[in-house]
Amino acid sequence: MAISSSIHTVVCPVSVKKLGAPARVSARRWRVGEWRGASTLSGARPLVLAKAKQRGESVEDRAPPIEDQLADDEPFVHFDERDFAGTASVPVYVMLPLGLIDMNSEVVEPEELLDQLRTLKSVNVDGVMVDCWWGIVESHTPQVYNWSGYKKLFDMIRQLGLKLQVVMSLHECGGNVGDDVHIQLPEWVREIGQTNPDIYFTDRAGMRNSECLTWGIDKQRVLRGRTALEVYFDYMRSFRVEFDEFFEEKIITEIEVGLGPCGELRYPSYPAQHGWKYPGIGEFQQCYDKYLMKSLKEAAEVRGHSFWGRGPDNTESYNSTPHGTGFFRDGGDYDSYYGRFFLNWYSRVLIDHGDRVLSMANLAFEGNSIAAKLSGIHWWYKTASHAAELTAGFYNPSNRDGYGPIAAMLKKHDAALNFTCVELRTLDQHEDFPEALADPEGLVWQVLNAAWDANIPVASENALPCYDREGYNKILENAKPLNDPDGRHLSCFTYLRLNTTLLESQNFVEFERFVKRMHGEAVSDLGLLPRTTQETKLE
């Protein structure tokens, strides 16, 4: 469809970005050229005009004058929207609240939860995702596991005919965006940490990070005679035995294996508890616990440059910008001989950790589907160094693909990749944080294609709460890319997360509509956004 060079006002929904804020659909004025080129709705089918269809008129490829679309007596705002009817069905799961099971391993407010699960079931969601917290189940004594609360929860879910994705949550909960509870690592692990704090990641200033155990002890017998890998395996195997019937009945469809902070395969490079704020570049936080420092020194000696056995000294601090450092600036040390050595080692330690833990997961779960989660670190993506990705362990500067090697490792274990931030739009990021030089759309496209090229399943989830149609449309377009010659699509999508705001009337109507479209069903209001006095305002 040809785009006129003249300027018109086009109305499209604006996403809700504030955590916990009531979801309201407002409107924004756009220049047609800007909207067509940047909106999540570009590439959509021709404009749907329900009123014209009702009058028996043909719907042309071109929209009528905008003033006709926005007549005061019409109840809808019209906009371009792609039709997903008849497309592949992508299962939709919903994450359950973080604090669903208390520290005594009991279900919190089970009757209220059961009502909410029934509500989800009423709109045909495929299932739910549940975090099984290591800090709750093996809290007090090594190899003594209390699964009682999870048994009750899983029975409730089974009775409603819902499926289960289960996360082996081997990390601490609390201190990150969206965390509303605090669940520490097991008490007996923390006791060990009091006398041997090097079991935790440690930054250059000596601050310890207790979100998860350093990967330096994966093979060190420092956990009362066991290595970290043995501890993880014993935990996963206990779960597999305890919930055997749920595997046999195919109620548990996938195990997502926790591989780092927030359950993600990454270093804890941007911890809020240490003062990090978006869009800080983060720090190479691993370098200073004694186990990984030893690994780095050994790698430098093997290379023949023992003086390289140190962390970079010109990366500044958590909240620095790339151009404010000697290491990450354009032409900086990240691309020097030493820089390339260090980053290769740093990223290899990350991939090797994932490799080892997923090997244990495949032994524990005996051929059942497993997955690993990657974080969507999209800030500074438009710079040469991709500094925030580098500190997180993704060696992905502009002249190197950092995600292909990770996808290859996952392929080795037949593991699916779960990726975040599929609802984010680059234009919104530029408007809100232009200094961050972020590009979530470019990052999502790179990671999804790396996984598809490796021929592994790709799932996704939203990074922040999403209740609006524009956000849902962005997810849909990532889930089912337009005109993909290979017909590729996501294996499933997991919505973050069940809460009272999602269940509010208009929000839930939008969510039900989204589920239908993910399933490839037709919706009756395609291209029509309800107009109400309070919820739609022209600026």
Side-chain angles (χ1 to χ4, degrees):
M1 180 173 68
I3 304 297
S4 170
S5 61
S6 60
I7 296 175
H8 298 287
T9 300
V10 178
V11 178
C12 67
V14 173
S15 62
V16 176
K17 303 184 185 70
K18 293 184 178 179
L19 295 175
R24 298 192 179 277
V25 178
S26 62
R28 174 187 294 165
R29 292 182 184 270
W30 295 77
R31 294 171 182 262
V32 167
E34 295 172 338
W35 181 52
R36 299 283 186 189
S39 171
T40 68
L41 307 174
S42 60
R45 55 170 269 173
L47 189 69
V48 177
L49 297 175
K51 292 186 66 123
K53 286 185 176 180
Q54 292 171 1
R55 292 193 295 265
E57 299 174 5
S58 63
V59 179
E60 300 178 349
D61 286 348
R62 185 175 56 194
I66 196 70
E67 57 270 18
D68 291 347
Q69 295 182 50
L70 302 179
D72 292 338
D73 61 346
E74 289 190 359
F76 297 104
V77 173
H78 301 274
F79 64 103
D80 285 348
E81 190 169 34
R82 184 176 152 199
D83 186 3
F84 289 92
T87 58
S89 179
V90 175
V92 177
Y93 288 72
V94 177
M95 294 185 203
L96 296 189
L98 293 169
L100 200 59
I101 305 294
D102 65 21
M103 293 305 298
N104 296 316
S105 196
E106 294 293 335
V107 181
V108 177
E109 299 181 354
E111 294 303 321
E112 179 182 352
L113 173 63
L114 189 59
D115 287 342
Q116 293 178 334
L117 290 174
R118 289 193 183 106
T119 302
L120 291 178
K121 178 65 176 178
S122 72
V123 297
N124 296 319
V125 300
D126 297 88
V128 294
M129 175 179 273
V130 175
D131 286 275
C132 285
W133 294 102
W134 181 31
I136 293 175
V137 175
E138 196 183 358
S139 178
H140 301 295
T141 307
Q143 295 180 280
V144 176
Y145 307 98
N146 183 357
W147 297 105
S148 59
Y150 289 104
K151 282 186 174 179
K152 295 174 185 176
L153 173 63
F154 287 13
D155 278 333
M156 292 168 56
I157 293 167
R158 174 168 56 181
Q159 290 168 13
L160 291 174
L162 292 167
K163 300 293 185 181
L164 262 168
Q165 294 174 326
V166 180
V167 184
M168 296 288 98
S169 296
L170 302 169
H171 58 284
E172 181 183 70
C173 179
N176 290 296
V177 174
D179 290 351
D180 53 6
V181 297
H182 189 203
I183 302 170
Q184 295 177 288
L185 296 185
E187 180 182 0
W188 65 270
V189 173
R190 287 182 277 123
E191 289 174 356
I192 295 171
Q194 290 175 3
T195 56
N196 181 11
D198 283 288
I199 67 172
Y200 302 125
F201 285 99
T202 307
D203 69 10
R204 186 170 53 200
M207 290 191 292
R208 312 289 183 172
N209 187 310
S210 62
E211 287 184 80
C212 60
L213 299 179
T214 172
W215 306 332
I217 65 168
D218 278 358
K219 297 182 179 181
Q220 301 293 325
R221 296 193 177 278
V222 295
L223 300 177
R224 298 197 181 176
R226 289 187 294 166
T227 68
L229 283 179
E230 290 170 338
V231 169
Y232 302 151
F233 173 80
D234 291 343
Y235 180 76
M236 292 187 285
R237 187 61 184 168
S238 172
F239 176 86
R240 176 64 182 85
V241 171
E242 196 72 35
F243 294 96
D244 178 68
E245 60 187 298
F246 290 88
F247 286 96
E248 295 300 316
E249 296 171 17
K250 306 298 182 184
I251 293 168
I252 295 176
T253 60
E254 184 177 81
I255 299 292
E256 184 175 288
V257 183
L259 297 174
C262 298
E264 298 166 338
L265 179 62
R266 64 171 175 87
Y267 289 92
S269 57
Y270 51 98
Q273 62 265 42
H274 289 177
W276 174 84
K277 295 181 181 179
Y278 183 85
I281 58 175
E283 286 194 15
F284 290 116
Q285 190 169 51
Q286 60 68 31
C287 291
Y288 304 94
D289 73 75
K290 66 182 181 183
Y291 302 103
L292 286 176
M293 180 62 75
K294 179 182 177 183
S295 171
L296 176 58
K297 289 179 178 178
E298 289 174 349
E301 290 172 1
V302 169
R303 180 68 184 270
H305 303 290
S306 57
F307 58 94
W308 282 356
R310 56 175 175 79
D313 57 8
N314 57 349
T315 58
E316 303 307 324
S317 63
Y318 288 110
N319 294 314
S320 296
T321 62
H323 46 273
T325 74
F327 193 83
F328 297 113
R329 62 177 174 80
D330 288 356
D333 288 345
Y334 80 92
D335 206 25
S336 67
Y337 287 109
Y338 160 73
R340 290 195 293 271
F341 158 78
F342 174 79
L343 292 169
N344 268 301
W345 171 81
Y346 190 70
S347 62
R348 177 46 55 187
V349 170
L350 172 112
I351 294 172
D352 287 348
H353 169 72
D355 186 21
R356 291 189 292 264
V357 177
L358 292 178
S359 293
M360 295 296 99
N362 271 328
L363 285 175
F365 296 114
E366 303 172 321
N368 291 283
S369 298
I370 62 173
K373 181 178 175 183
L374 243 61
S375 54
I377 301 181
H378 52 80
W379 52 106
W380 307 115
Y381 190 84
K382 290 184 177 180
T383 63
S385 65
H386 291 220
E389 290 167 87
L390 296 186
T391 58
F394 307 138
Y395 191 5
N396 190 55
S398 57
N399 60 351
R400 186 182 188 276
D401 175 20
Y403 297 101
I406 295 173
M409 181 272 290
L410 297 178
K411 175 66 174 177
K412 173 182 173 183
H413 300 288
D414 293 321
L417 169 64
N418 185 14
F419 195 62
T420 62
C421 80
V422 291
E423 86 286 9
L424 300 181
R425 294 168 292 278
T426 297
L427 182 61
D428 288 345
Q429 295 297 312
H430 178 70
E431 290 179 345
D432 295 341
F433 297 96
E435 70 280 9
L437 296 175
D439 186 6
E441 294 180 48
L443 175 64
V444 167
W445 186 244
Q446 180 186 358
V447 174
L448 264 56
N449 277 279
W452 280 327
D453 288 346
N455 197 28
I456 60 174
V458 188
S460 71
E461 60 189 52
N462 47 308
L464 297 173
C466 177
Y467 308 108
D468 63 285
R469 190 170 300 182
E470 191 179 9
Y472 287 139
N473 281 339
K474 186 63 190 175
I475 294 168
L476 280 155
E477 298 222 356
N478 282 320
K480 307 176 186 184
L482 182 67
N483 296 329
D484 188 299
D486 301 308
R488 300 177 300 185
H489 55 82
L490 295 180
S491 59
C492 69
F493 174 79
T494 304
Y495 176 85
L496 180 152
R497 116 180 19 254
L498 175 63
N499 57 37
T500 55
T501 304
L502 173 66
L503 300 178
E504 291 175 3
S505 57
Q506 184 56 44
N507 291 345
F508 201 64
V509 167
E510 285 294 330
F511 178 72
E512 179 181 13
R513 184 180 188 275
F514 166 70
V515 172
K516 286 181 178 179
R517 301 180 78 202
M518 288 291 277
H519 287 165
E521 301 173 21
V523 293
S524 60
D525 60 344
L526 190 66
L528 301 175
L529 186 69
R531 177 206 297 273
T532 66
T533 302
Q534 293 182 350
E535 292 182 344
T536 303
K537 300 177 181 179
L538 295 181
E539 297 176 351

